[in-house]
Each structure stands twice: as C-alpha cells, then as structure tokens.
C-alpha cells in the first residue's frame, strides 16, 4: 500500500477516537454553590423575674435573738447564647455610703442588712460596722448597731427546654465581694433566699426598729467597691 | 515520419473517500448570576434580612441526558455532611459552622428536619421562593438520592435550552427551630448547589 493511502486511514482512526471521547455525557462546568452564611451575635440579658418578697422578723422576749419568719426571696433570670458565660452576684447595703454587704464562703453566704432610716436618733449604721461584720472583727453583741446579717442561699437552675442539654452552673467565691457563676448557653434562674436567724452576733438591742434592707445584684461585670 | 518521444501512460482509477463526522455531545453550563449569601441574625428574634441566589442554566441536553438537581448540605458532628432541606423541602437548615466542637449533631438536624424544637445549633428558615423560568420546572423530590442523603429539588428542562433558577430564603426562622438559649452565638452555614449529573 502506498504511503498516500496510509495517512487518510490514520486520520480516520484518529477522528473516531476523538468522537468516542465527545460521546460521554459528563457535564462540564456544571456545579455551582450558594454558600449561605449567617452570623448570630452574642446575646446576654439579666432580669429580676419576680418581685422581691419582703419578710417579717420575730425576736425573743429578751431581744437577743431574731429570726426571719418567712424567707425573703428574689430571683434573676439570665439568658446567654454564648457557650460559657460568667455572671457575678454581689450585694450592697447603705451605711455612711453604699458598701459591700456580701460575705462568707461559697455555699455559706451571708448578707448584711442595714437600717434604712436616715438620720434621727442614730439609726443609721456606719461603713465601719458593716465592714466589721463582714471581716469578723465584731465578736460581741452590741458591736454592730443597726446592721444585722442573715444567711443567703442562692439556688441556680437551668431551663431544660431552653438550655444546653446536660449543662450545669458552677460557682465560686471570687474575692471578698463577688460570687462568680459560670453558666452554659441557655436560660438560668438564680433564686436568692434570705432566712434563718441573725448571724455572727450582729443582732442586739442597739438594732433599732425600722426597715432593714440589702440589695443584691447580678451582672456580667465584677463588682469592685 | 513523425516520431513521438513521450509515452502517455494509462492510470488506473484510484479514488479514496473519507466521510468525516463529528458528534456534538450534550453539555451543560451553570453559572451563579446574582446572590446575597450572607447576613446577620438578630439574637432576640432569630430574624435575618433574607438571602437569595440565582443560577443560569444553559444546556443542549435533555432530561434524558441529565439529572439536574439542586442539592443542599450542612455539616454535622465529625464533619459528616447531610442534606440541609427539611423533609418536605419547604425550609433550609443552617448549622453552626465556625468551630467544629459546636457543629450540630445529626440528631439535632433530624429534629429540625421534621419541625421539632430540640435542635441546638440548627436554625431552619423557609424557602420562600424556588422557581425557574418556564418551560423548565423545579420541584422537591423527597426520595431523590444525593451524596448527602435523600431529598433535593429536581429541575426538568423540558427541551428548553436556557433558564434561570431563583431561590429566596426567608428571614424569619421556622417556628421552634430557633431558641435564644439553645442556638449559640457564631456562624451558621448552609450550602446549596446546582449540578447536572450525566445519565449513561
């Protein structure tokens, strides 16, 4: 066979092979994505969820012991959508100025209440008195006029429907003035209850009649007096 | 006397014929034309401004040549990708995507897929619009297999050569899928893809 006849045969074979490749039905340039991306910002909110329940007290005939008849309660609802969030509990009362009122160990917290009367017959207590109760330097009765300390119990809980499953809240005393709670994402309630009898020799006949008050706070910022 | 110095040779017939044929194969081109693919969620409500994407489809093929699907995927624990459509195809699920430790579980995705309320780090938003220019059609087929599982939208080209697919994702979360405490702060992602699979 002449060379001039071999070339067209080769060309024909080549075309056939090319045609076979084209015959595939694979799509080309056929996938495109829409990568939808949304940003959910951190959210944090604290609210006092129920009106604080005021309490009444009773004392013995010698006016040496006093106890709260019905627990004084307040609660906070904390909502957070971050995986861990620190919140701080602290308390204040009014003396010469507004001073820190929370003390004691975690799990055995105490809160100082002071007479709300302003002026008149020496009913107002002093910063020194409140600090004395908190630091334990007042050991004898009549050492803390118009300031009385009671136990403070804090019970945190997570809303099971709106919180991380199997999550829990941990707490630790953070310095002298704060309790730090670390919570997972979710909705938490912190029930604060004051009850029982006066603590640390803080009650005596020098505590004049009237309304005694302490204020508790919950915040994501640590309290610094 | 005439003398011829050249001789005329006789040639035998020697024709060759080549018939050249070229097959034009079915082909597909898909292009994303417009899109708004990102936004911010308002934490208190779960609402975002809305998302959308449009794809231009061109093909000389037919529905016999290709399976045109609009699939979706969401990444779950361990990096497993599953379909991001709800079971009825009416909503698209978004999963937390910025940290692997916070990827949603497959259980959470399954819960959101059926409209449940126990689906941490998964948020469902309605597919408020999913259409394609006529005569092409698009519909959700719950039994259609994809790489991510069953369920996707299927486009029929109906012999048309060109069409535009439009998808709009509504901004208000499907009831029960968003919970402020359960869905943690971060990035939430869903991928929607448009592809043509050749039928052999």
């Amino acid at each position: 066979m002449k060379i001039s006849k071999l070339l067209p045969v080769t060309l024909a074979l080549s075309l056939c092979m090319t045609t076979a490749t084209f015959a595939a039905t694979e799509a080309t340039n056929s996938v495109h994505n829409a990568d939808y991306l949304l940003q959910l910002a951190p959210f944090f909110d604290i609210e006092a969820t129920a009106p604080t329940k005021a309490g009444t007290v009773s004392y013995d005939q010698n006016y040496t012991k006093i106890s709260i008849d019905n627990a004084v309660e307040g609660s906070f609802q904390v909502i957070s959508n971050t995986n861990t969030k620190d919140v701080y509990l602290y308390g204040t009362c009014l003396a010469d100025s507004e001073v820190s009122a929370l003390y004691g160990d975690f799990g055995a917290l105490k809160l100082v209440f002071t007479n709300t009367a302003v002026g008149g017959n020496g009913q107002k207590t002093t910063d020194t008195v409140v600090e004395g109760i908190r630091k334990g330097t007042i050991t004898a009765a009549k050492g803390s006029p118009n300031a009385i300390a009671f136990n403070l119990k804090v019970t945190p809980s997570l809303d099971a429907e709106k919180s991380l499953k199997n999550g829990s809240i941990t707490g630790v005393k953070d310095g002298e003035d704060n309790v730090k709670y670390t919570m997972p994402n979710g909705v938490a309630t912190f029930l604060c209850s004051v009850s029982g009898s006066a603590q640390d020799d803080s009650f005596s006949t020098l505590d004049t009649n009237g309304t005694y008050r302490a204020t508790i706070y919950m915040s994501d910022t640590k309290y610094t007096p | 006397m005439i003398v011829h110095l050249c001789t005329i040779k006789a040639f035998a017939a020697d024709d060759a014929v080549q018939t050249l044929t070229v097959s034009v194969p079915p082909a597909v081109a898909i292009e994303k034309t417009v899109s708004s693919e990102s936004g911010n969620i308002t934490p208190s409500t779960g609402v975002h401004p809305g998302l959308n994407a449009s794809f231009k489809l061109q093909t000389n093929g037919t529905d016999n040549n290709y399976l045109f699907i609009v699939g979706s995927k969401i990444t779950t624990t361990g990096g497993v990708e599953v379909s991001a459509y709800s079971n009825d195809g009416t909503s698209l699920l978004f999963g937390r995507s910025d940290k692997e430790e916070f990827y949603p579980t497959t259980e959470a995705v399954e819960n959101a897929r059926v409209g449940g309320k126990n689906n941490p780090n998964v948020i469902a938003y309605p597919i408020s619009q999913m259409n394609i220019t006529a005569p092409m059609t698009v519909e959700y087929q719950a039994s259609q297999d994809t790489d991510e599982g069953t369920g996707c939208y299927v486009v029929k080209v109906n012999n048309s050569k060109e069409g535009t697919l439009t998808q709009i994702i509504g901004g208000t979360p499907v009831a029960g899928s968003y919970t402020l405490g359960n869905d943690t702060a971060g990035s939430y992602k869903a991928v929607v893809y448009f592809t043509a699979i050749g039928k052999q």
Side-chain angles (χ1 to χ4, degrees), chain A residues 28 32 34 37-39 81 185, chain B residues 25 28 30 37 41 181 185 188 192:
Chain A
T28 56
H32 273 272
L37 190 64
L38 295 169
Q39 294 294 335
N81 71 351
N185 56 287
Chain B
V28 176
I30 298 172
E37 299 177 38
I41 300 171
Y188 285 74
V192 170

Side-chain angles (χ1 to χ4, degrees), chain A residues 114-115 122-126 129-130 133 138 142-148 202 204-208 212:
Chain A
T114 54
N115 197 325
Q123 291 174 305
K124 191 177 176 185
T125 193
T126 65
V129 165
V130 175
I133 295 174
I138 295 173
K142 298 187 179 180
S144 59
N146 293 319
I148 312 171
S202 60
S204 72
T205 51
L206 293 183
D207 296 312
T208 54
Y212 286 69

Side-chain angles (χ1 to χ4, degrees), chain A residues 131-145:
Chain A
E131 195 66 1
I133 295 174
R134 295 180 68 231
K135 296 286 174 60
T137 56
I138 295 173
T139 56
K142 298 187 179 180
S144 59

Side-chain angles (χ1 to χ4, degrees), chain A residues 30-48:
Chain A
S30 62
V31 181
H32 273 272
N33 290 351
D35 293 331
Y36 293 127
L37 190 64
L38 295 169
Q39 294 294 335
L40 178 59
F43 180 91
F44 178 69
D45 182 61
I46 299 179
E47 290 182 16

Side-chain angles (χ1 to χ4, degrees), chain B residues 125-141:
Chain B
Y125 291 97
I127 300 173
S128 54
Q129 185 176 324
M130 186 74 167
N131 58 29
I132 193 165
T133 47
M136 293 185 180
T137 59
V138 59
E139 69 173 12
Y140 186 74
Q141 294 188 2

Side-chain angles (χ1 to χ4, degrees), chain B residues 67-119:
Chain B
L67 173 65
F68 300 95
I69 66 171
V70 186
S72 65
K73 50 191 174 184
I74 183 174
T75 306
T76 60
T77 310
V80 179
E81 292 183 327
V82 297
S83 173
Y85 291 125
S86 61
N87 277 355
D88 59 4
T90 59
S91 60
L92 187 67
L93 314 182
F94 287 68
R96 187 161 172 195
S97 61
D98 53 331
K99 290 183 180 176
E100 191 169 345
E101 62 187 302
F102 302 132
Y103 286 174
T105 63
T106 52
E107 290 80 8
V109 174
E110 287 300 322
N111 181 274
R113 189 167 283 142
V114 297
K117 295 181 177 178
N118 186 18
N119 44 56

